[in-house]
């Protein structure tokens, strides 16, 4: 349910790759939800542009079916769906040739926001940017949305940035990391910078360590070929986990504005120390019963690509010096959990006789399941018999605490697309941020290659390889539970 509607400008949104998987599963169902919530102004248009030889009616059929399949319960209203489909058009365009560009130019309107979503393989970004510019379809006010992966190392990311920069300015380029569109990720900033309670404690005097976990229960699905060339470091750590790390560790920007936020995130990435190879664990899942192993899933019996990574890293600045950041992500794990946990130091001395446990406050920001915030506090165990202390959660699941005001249906994609239309780049990665993230990641991946590093094995449904546990045990710490 949506409670507040922020007006959006009139727009023409062209989706290159409009017939593709991402467009059908995420982008168009998401736009339909925005339409239902009244956020698409009357007359706003979505134009699919792809290779298939379709007309408006054919594309509308395809998208109608996709919305029925992927749109969720709230999109079941047939009349509203028909009204939405009226806003949709299609042009067959060849990204690498000249076919279709004149028709696209005729269709696109002056005096509205023009946004171009590149939901195609990154190898086509350059050709699309060049043609949009060359045919006079994009102007200085037009916006480009580009999908991940943004390069596969520093060199390719730089090349991609340079290609886009030939025709577009940085303030026109919206690099999507859909993690940044999640409600809780934005809430992380609200909690940190909107309360007096946390910021004074947010440093190495009070924080023992920070854990970031993104655990998946799914395997590589149908993307085995792509995934095996990428791996968890490129697919998850370089972008999603790194972005979460930046938001948790950055200094307060002087205002909540795109470049102010992104300047602070960039400083964090640049302050990350190189990771010691003893502080990284990679893994691949084994077969279990009739569930195939990672190597069987990607059809590469000799694969050395990791689908699990756990690492310890440090940020070399005054706020975080000496505070380890533990990151882990993996596939086919015990549960589907994404959270950031700030584990505070213990008090060092207990006034309560017999209380030998080292109690810690923990602030956990949960992205899934049940988006919310959980603060572990220490209280007296109820009942007679003296002062025995226990740790209990002050759990605020947003859906319970905020009821109807929680917009559960809003997916990260649709929120981010609406930000593009509004011209708000705060939740998008800047070119220099992406490059800095690769500059930190590249030596790790290169190191694995030169050492011919072989990932450790782990059981499907576990919490990852044994060595990942040891990474924290060695430091006298332990991972938070991944709930099954
Ligand atoms: P897809 O293969 O399903 O679709 C590709 C689209 O590109 C199709 O519409 C096709 O017609 C179009 N296309 C291909 N060559 C073309 C050409 N020469 N001219 C014009 N159009 C052309 O791919 P996808 O899964 O939708 O992924 C699109 C992009 O989004 C990729 O960069 C991918 O990495 C990224 N991405 C996808 C997902 C996902 O869940 N599918 C998630 C994150 C990022």
């Amino acid at each position: 349910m949506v409670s507040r509607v922020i007006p959006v400008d009139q727009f023409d949104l062209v989706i290159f790759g409009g017939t593709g998987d991402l467009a059908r599963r995420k982008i168009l169902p998401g736009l339909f939800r925005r339409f239902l919530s009244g956020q698409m102004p009357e007359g706003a248009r979505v134009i699919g542009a792809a290779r298939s030889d379709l007309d408006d009616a054919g594309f509308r059929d395809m998208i109608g079916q996709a919305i029925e399949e992927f749109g969720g319960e709230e999109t079941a209203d047939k009349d509203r769906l028909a009204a939405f489909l009226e806003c949709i058009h299609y042009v067959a365009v060849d990204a690498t040739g000249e076919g279709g560009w004149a028709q696209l130019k005729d269709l696109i309107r002056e005096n509205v926001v023009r946004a171009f979503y590149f939901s195609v393989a990154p190898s086509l970004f350059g050709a699309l940017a060049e043609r949009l510019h060359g045919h006079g379809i994009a102007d200085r006010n037009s916006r480009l949305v580009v999908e991940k992966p943004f390069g596969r190392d520093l060199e390719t990311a730089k090349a991609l940035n340079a290609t886009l920069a030939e025709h577009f300015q940085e303030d026109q380029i919206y690099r999507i990391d859909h993690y940044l569109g999640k409600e809780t990720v934005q809430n992380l900033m609200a909690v940190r910078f909107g309360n007096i309670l946390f910021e004074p404690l947010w440093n190495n005097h009070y924080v023992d360590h920070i854990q970031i976990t993104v655990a998946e229960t799914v395997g590589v699905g149908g993307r085995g070929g792509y995934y095996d060339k990428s791996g968890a470091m490129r697919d998850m750590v370089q972008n999603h986990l790194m972005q979460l790390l930046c938001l948790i560790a950055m200094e307060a920007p002087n205002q909540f504005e795109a470049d102010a936020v992104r300047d602070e995130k960039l400083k964090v990435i640049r302050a990350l120390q190189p990771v010691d190879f003893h502080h990284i664990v990679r893994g691949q899942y084994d077969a279990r019963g009739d569930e195939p192993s990672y190597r069987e899933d990607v059809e590469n019996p000799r694969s050395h690509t990791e689908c699990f990574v756990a690492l310890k890293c440090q940020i070399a600045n005054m706020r975080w010096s000496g505070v380890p950041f533990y990151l882990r992500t993996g596939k086919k794990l015990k549960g589907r959990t994404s959270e950031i946990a700030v584990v505070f130091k213990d008090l060092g001395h207990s006034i309560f006789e017999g209380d030998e446990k080292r109690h810690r406050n923990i602030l956990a920001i949960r992205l899934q399941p049940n988006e919310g915030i959980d603060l572990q506090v220490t209280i007296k165990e109820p009942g007679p018999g003296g002062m025995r202390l226990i740790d209990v959660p002050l759990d605020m699941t947003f859906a319970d605490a905020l009821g109807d005001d929680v917009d559960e249906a809003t997916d990260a994609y649709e929120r981010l697309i609406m930000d593009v239309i509004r011209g708000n780049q705060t939740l998008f990665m800047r070119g220099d941020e992406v490059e800095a993230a690769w500059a930190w990641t590249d030596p790790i991946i290169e190191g694995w290659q030169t050492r011919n590093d072989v990932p450790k094995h782990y059981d499907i449904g576990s919490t990852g390889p044994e060595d990942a546990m040891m990474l924290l045990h060695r430091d006298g710490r332990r991972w938070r539970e991944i709930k099954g």
Side-chain angles (χ1 to χ4, degrees), residues 16-26 49-52 90 93-97 118-122 124-125 128 147-149 178 223 226 413:
F16 291 105
T19 58
D21 176 70
L22 184 68
R24 285 182 292 113
R25 248 177 350 100
K26 291 281 181 188
R51 252 188 325 200
S52 314
Y90 184 81
V93 164
D94 181 4
T96 52
F118 289 5
S119 182
V120 293
L124 297 177
F125 290 179
L128 287 176
E147 261 301 332
K148 90 169 204 183
H178 69 272
R223 307 161 64 220
Y226 158 78
Y413 274 98

Side-chain angles (χ1 to χ4, degrees), residues 121-139:
S123 56
L124 297 177
F125 290 179
L128 287 176
E130 193 183 318
R131 282 167 179 73
L132 281 174
H133 189 257
H135 288 272
I137 297 171
D139 62 13

Side-chain angles (χ1 to χ4, degrees), residues 34 36 66 151 185 187 192 253 272 305 423:
R34 294 302 86 201
L36 289 177
V185 169
N187 233 314
R192 268 197 74 185
L272 271 173
T305 304

Side-chain angles (χ1 to χ4, degrees), residues 70-173:
F70 304 113
E73 279 170 29
E74 72 284 5
T75 58
D77 185 333
K78 297 258 189 253
D79 291 343
R80 301 294 290 149
L81 178 56
F84 173 69
L85 293 175
E86 285 295 306
C87 311
I88 293 189
H89 304 265
Y90 184 81
V91 187
V93 164
D94 181 4
T96 52
E98 294 314 311
W101 291 94
Q103 290 90 317
L104 183 59
K105 185 175 165 65
D106 285 346
L107 191 59
I108 206 110
R109 293 174 296 176
E110 303 280 338
N111 306 322
V112 298
V113 170
R114 296 180 207 174
F116 302 95
Y117 198 131
F118 289 5
S119 182
V120 293
S123 56
L124 297 177
F125 290 179
L128 287 176
E130 193 183 318
R131 282 167 179 73
L132 281 174
H133 189 257
H135 288 272
I137 297 171
D139 62 13
R140 176 66 186 92
N141 296 318
S142 302
R143 290 148 206 179
L144 295 191
V145 186
V146 293
E147 261 301 332
K148 90 169 204 183
F150 200 86
R152 54 176 283 109
D153 53 23
L154 177 57
E155 194 187 332
T156 47
K158 274 187 169 167
L160 215 44
N161 275 333
T163 304
L164 296 178
E166 279 176 32
H167 304 293
F168 295 90
Q169 305 287 320
E170 181 61 36
D171 65 8
Q172 297 179 274
I173 303 169

